Amino acid sequence: FAYRKRWSDALRETERARIARDVVLDFPVYNSLNRSFKNTVLRATTGGQIASDSGRHVHVRSLDHLNFSFAAGERVGLVGHNGSGKTTLLRALSGVYTPTGGDLTVKGRVTSLLDISLGLDPDATGHENILLRGIMMGMTPREVAAKANEIAEFTDLGDYLSMPLRTYSSGMQMRLAFAVSTCVDADILLMDEWLSVGDADFQERATERLKRLVDRTPILVLASHAPDFVASVCTRLIELSHGRIVADRPIEQQAA
């Protein structure tokens, strides 16, 4: 993609938008002492690290002392095995999870495409859900209203937008959710795999829309299981294993 340098005031103030220093994220496991700790460990060979504290409470360490910073203009690809911590890191970056240790500094507006259907109400109409989802993503009602017509036109749902969401097919719901989720201008865009929604015709339009969103976003953080795709989209690769960063290197961009 061709990236434009269109940074917000927040990112103009500093080259670094997110800085992590020794970030740790532990998840407690309750009622675990009556289970076989040995079997629990054996079943977690591809996930985080399991340990117990001085109070005999078991916890899973999903992120283990991560240190990194993201600069304006970077497209960061997160790779690693299932359970390596990619999605957990994205959720920590979006504010869903609060680190249990270390420091995570945030500058700029964040848009998360981790769950594009979050905030949709099955009993509300399509028009009402455009407002609900937009507000869920941090937009003001005025900002949503300014984009409502463009969103409605992109969905190509017509009169269905005046009907309750529960009358939509799953594909129609994804069209609506995708259209709203990709209308927000942000400083940092978080994605767990590249989105692909709808039939062939809509997928083509959706891909172009997503490319434009990525193009105008200063920082992209994308988790993926496809190294070739990451190499074609991203400028930097971070590899995770059991919650730790095992590689952090630039990606040489392929010729178009």
Side-chain angles (χ1 to χ4, degrees), residues 1-8 11 17-18 70-76 107-113 137 147 181-191 194 208-222 233-235:
F1 309 146
Y3 302 116
R4 291 181 297 147
K5 292 184 177 179
R6 180 173 175 264
W7 319 135
S8 71
L11 289 183
R18 281 186 177 271
F70 297 152
E74 285 190 316
R75 273 74 183 114
V76 182
K107 284 186 178 293
R109 184 175 186 178
V110 180
T111 291
S112 169
L113 299 186
M137 296 189 66
K147 296 176 178 287
S181 298
T182 52
C183 77
V184 179
D185 290 326
D187 302 307
I188 305 157
L189 177 63
L190 307 176
M191 295 177 60
W194 190 262
E208 287 302 315
R209 184 179 178 89
L210 198 54
K211 285 181 179 179
R212 290 195 297 270
L213 174 62
V214 170
D215 180 58
R216 66 178 185 262
T217 303
I219 295 174
L220 169 70
V221 185
L222 167 70
V233 173
C234 298
T235 61

Side-chain angles (χ1 to χ4, degrees), residues 123-145:
D123 292 320
T125 67
H127 290 296
E128 291 168 340
N129 271 295
I130 289 175
L131 176 62
L132 292 172
R133 173 61 181 165
I135 292 174
M136 179 69 69
M137 296 189 66
M139 301 172 67
T140 66
R142 179 175 296 181
E143 288 176 325
V144 179

